[in-house]
Amino acid sequence: MKIKLLIVALAGLIFAGCTNSGASLSPSTSYQKPTPQKEERFHKTMKEVALSTRDNPKYNRMALETPEKKEWFKTLMYRLWDRQITRSQFISEGLAKYPTHQYEFTFIANGFQQRS
């Protein structure tokens, strides 16, 4: 459990930025929660994608400074990884909250697509 929390915290820190986009957060569309086995595989992939953002100078971190924002983003990524939403839906939902981060949502979607 501690490892999972560490991975989520690491991903949140890597994806999070210091600016405030002013994006409001409403609850995500309902989704099927992961089984423990799926969650473990998702966290591995999420960590790989998160680490890949550090090597990309064009990637600008998003303002995910609250637990609610981090949970929203993690859920959105999980839904993409688990194919509960399409790549296009992932980008669209992300841009609804963070409209200036087209490149970042596309980069993340591509990262998950390459690892699936």
Side-chain angles (χ1 to χ4, degrees):
M1 182 66 174
K2 289 181 181 180
I3 292 174
K4 289 180 185 177
L5 289 174
L6 178 63
I7 291 171
V8 170
L10 174 66
L13 290 174
I14 290 171
F15 287 123
C18 296
T19 62
N20 184 0
S21 70
S24 63
L25 289 178
S26 60
S28 292
T29 306
S30 64
Y31 74 104
Q32 186 177 13
K33 293 189 179 202
T35 62
Q37 296 81 11
K38 272 190 172 182
E39 189 165 12
E40 187 175 320
R41 291 191 333 260
F42 166 68
H43 280 260
K44 180 179 182 276
T45 304
M46 182 177 67
K47 184 177 177 182
E48 291 171 5
V49 172
L51 292 173
S52 75
T53 66
R54 291 193 298 178
D55 299 329
N56 186 324
K58 289 178 67 177
Y59 186 92
N60 292 312
R61 294 179 176 177
M62 289 175 257
L64 300 172
E65 70 277 350
T66 66
E68 294 81 14
K69 289 179 181 181
K70 289 175 186 172
E71 184 61 29
W72 168 81
F73 190 60
K74 178 185 167 199
T75 300
L76 184 63
M77 288 189 299
Y78 176 76
R79 291 170 54 220
L80 173 67
W81 176 84
D82 196 41
R83 296 188 174 116
Q84 295 179 27
I85 58 173
T86 65
R87 180 181 180 280
S88 177
Q89 288 170 314
F90 170 81
I91 294 169
S92 178
E93 286 187 39
L95 290 176
K97 299 214 186 288
Y98 294 91
T100 62
H101 288 280
Q102 171 80 40
Y103 178 83
E104 291 74 16
F105 284 107
T106 302
F107 183 86
I108 293 166
N110 291 342
F112 276 106
Q113 191 171 18
Q114 292 170 356
R115 289 163 178 83
S116 59

